[in-house]
Amino acid sequence: MTADGAAPALVVGLGCQRGCPAATLRALLDQALQAHRIELAAVKALASIDLKRDEPGLRELAAQLALPLLYFSSAELAGYRPRLSHQSQIAFERTGCYGVAESAALALAEQWIQAPAKLLIPRQKYAQATLALAGAA
């Protein structure tokens, strides 16, 4: 809880392979939140890399959850490299950043709360997708 009694704003960063269905992303989200005992209601927004702007699964998940979905460029995400729990050379070769889910979660959390953020759930990998959750440090 924050000082005003509100639940802290948490954001989810997502990375996925082309064509990853919303159901896969939702299963990963539900699994991660359940494992960390976090309510879905605490999640205020989703984030990914701008290369995924046209990815139907991400857009469908955001619509299902009625959450905003924001995108960041690889240049915006690259600066988070030192803070990642896992640095993927493959992700770098494909996107220009070393971890889409963690970087996007941190970038959006810091934009959202206007303060430093930390990873509350580090990179989780599942089938065709990755997820990370960030919030106030």
Side-chain angles (χ1 to χ4, degrees):
M1 290 284 171
T2 57
D4 61 4
L10 303 177
V11 300
V12 170
L14 293 161
C16 64
Q17 292 173 8
R18 194 71 49 218
C20 179
T24 297
L25 295 167
R26 180 63 192 262
L28 175 57
L29 176 62
D30 290 344
Q31 192 178 24
L33 293 176
Q34 194 172 20
H36 291 83
R37 293 186 173 81
I38 295 170
E39 294 290 325
L40 181 59
V43 176
K44 302 303 180 198
L46 308 176
S48 192
I49 193 166
D50 60 5
L51 299 171
K52 300 293 179 189
R53 194 177 295 276
D54 61 350
E55 197 55 52
L58 285 171
R59 293 163 70 159
E60 191 181 320
L61 178 67
Q64 281 175 14
L65 300 174
L67 291 174
L69 172 58
L70 290 91
Y71 301 94
F72 295 90
S73 69
S74 59
E76 290 172 300
L77 298 181
Y80 290 93
R81 181 182 179 186
R83 296 168 58 188
L84 304 182
S85 72
H86 173 88
Q87 296 184 18
S88 167
Q89 190 62 38
I90 294 168
F92 181 75
E93 288 165 11
R94 291 183 183 161
T95 67
C97 77
Y98 283 92
V100 170
E102 289 187 346
S103 299
L106 287 166
L108 181 55
E110 292 187 349
Q111 186 181 77
W112 201 269
I113 61 180
Q114 297 291 300
K118 70 175 180 182
L119 290 170
L120 303 173
I121 300 178
R123 177 181 177 270
Q124 308 285 305
K125 186 152 179 31
Y126 177 96
Q128 309 152 285
T130 54
L131 171 148
L133 184 133

